[in-house]
Amino acid sequence: MALAHNGIIRGLNSIYLQAPNLPANDTVVARDFLIYCQCWSESMHHHHDAEEEIFFPEIENVTNVKGVMEQNVEQHRAFTPGFDKFYDYCKTCSPKDYDGAKLRSLVQDFAEALVKHLHDEIETLRALDKYDSKRVKQAYGRLEKSLMETDNYRIAPLVFGTADRKYEDGIHNFPAVPFFVPYIINYVFGMRYRGVWRFNPCTSWRDCRELAYA
């Protein structure tokens, strides 16, 4: 879960850092960046919906503690209003009207609450070590399976493009996939929105790179 959260934060950082630096009057770049922001928002929305609908109820069953994940749900609610405004802007803004300062201010309205939640949730999960670890892992496995049921053309290139395979000296293989999958991500799923993925902080092979418009 921590690795998934790291990817969410990397994506958010890439949005925040690049938002004010897009070339003026370039509607193609603005269009692609707005789609990038939409994809990031959709990925995060899917992540938190799956937690609330699948993972959290299963953890309640494992622990037999009603509301054991309620703090996390409350934190979701804390950043949702600002996040929704950001997502609405990205969906409705015409590329010719793109305003980097406006978009960045919308990020600022929810980013602190979101990042706090992403860190706090890891501590909540660590506290589950006193329960049946096998059942907790099974619940997380079902969450992971649900997270994979998404639009691969809009989400898969983002997930791989915000994953750093050298994080902590490369001890993690995240996402855990066979060696050929990044090729599929790059040359199949990445093609439909090819211009969008220029804003990713990493390549499809999960190697960090310089931001295109930082």
Side-chain angles (χ1 to χ4, degrees):
M1 185 74 82
L3 298 173
H5 286 188
N6 284 348
I8 291 173
I9 293 171
R10 284 193 197 97
L12 182 61
N13 285 341
S14 72
I15 290 169
Y16 185 80
L17 292 171
Q18 295 180 93
N21 300 319
L22 304 190
N25 303 316
D26 191 327
T27 56
V28 173
V29 173
R31 178 203 64 196
D32 287 347
F33 188 67
L34 288 166
I35 295 173
Y36 183 74
C37 294
Q38 293 169 25
C39 293
W40 178 86
S41 300
E42 290 159 13
S43 176
M44 196 185 77
H45 208 306
H46 181 53
H47 179 94
H48 287 113
D49 282 353
E51 285 182 334
E52 292 188 19
E53 295 169 9
I54 297 171
F55 186 59
F56 292 173
E58 291 206 23
I59 292 301
E60 278 201 2
N61 290 334
V62 170
T63 63
N64 201 29
V65 178
K66 186 172 178 59
V68 67
M69 305 300 288
E70 188 60 30
Q71 177 185 345
N72 298 277
V73 175
E74 291 175 359
Q75 288 184 333
H76 287 181
R77 302 294 175 265
F79 65 75
T80 293
F83 166 75
D84 285 346
K85 289 179 182 178
F86 168 78
Y87 186 35
D88 286 344
Y89 177 83
C90 297
K91 289 188 297 182
T92 60
C93 178
S94 169
K96 66 181 177 60
D97 297 324
Y98 171 78
D99 183 338
K102 169 68 173 177
L103 188 141
R104 191 180 240 197
S105 72
L106 291 170
V107 170
Q108 290 171 335
D109 286 344
F110 72 88
E112 184 176 355
L114 170 61
V115 173
K116 181 180 187 305
H117 159 68
L118 294 174
H119 289 308
D120 288 352
E121 188 168 81
I122 300 304
E123 297 308 313
T124 302
L125 297 177
R126 283 177 174 165
L128 298 176
D129 62 358
K130 60 186 176 183
Y131 299 103
D132 187 332
S133 62
K134 181 178 179 180
R135 292 182 64 196
V136 171
K137 288 179 180 178
Q138 288 173 341
Y140 186 70
R142 285 187 281 272
L143 171 65
E144 284 191 318
K145 182 178 180 180
S146 173
L147 292 175
M148 292 174 66
E149 296 171 355
T150 187
D151 185 341
N152 283 325
Y153 293 97
R154 288 176 72 87
I155 305 302
L158 176 76
V159 171
F160 278 74
T162 53
D164 176 8
R165 70 185 181 91
K166 295 181 180 178
Y167 175 66
E168 294 188 338
D169 296 323
I171 64 173
H172 309 285
N173 179 29
F174 179 83
V177 295
F179 77 93
F180 58 83
V181 170
Y183 291 89
I184 297 173
I185 299 298
N186 194 70
Y187 295 114
V188 179
F189 295 129
M191 296 303 293
R192 182 175 296 180
Y193 299 102
R194 170 57 65 190
V196 169
W197 313 123
R198 74 180 91 177
F199 304 104
N200 270 332
C202 304
T203 69
S204 297
W205 287 266
R206 299 165 289 176
D207 292 310
C208 288
R209 64 185 182 186
E210 293 293 323
L211 292 174
Y213 297 100

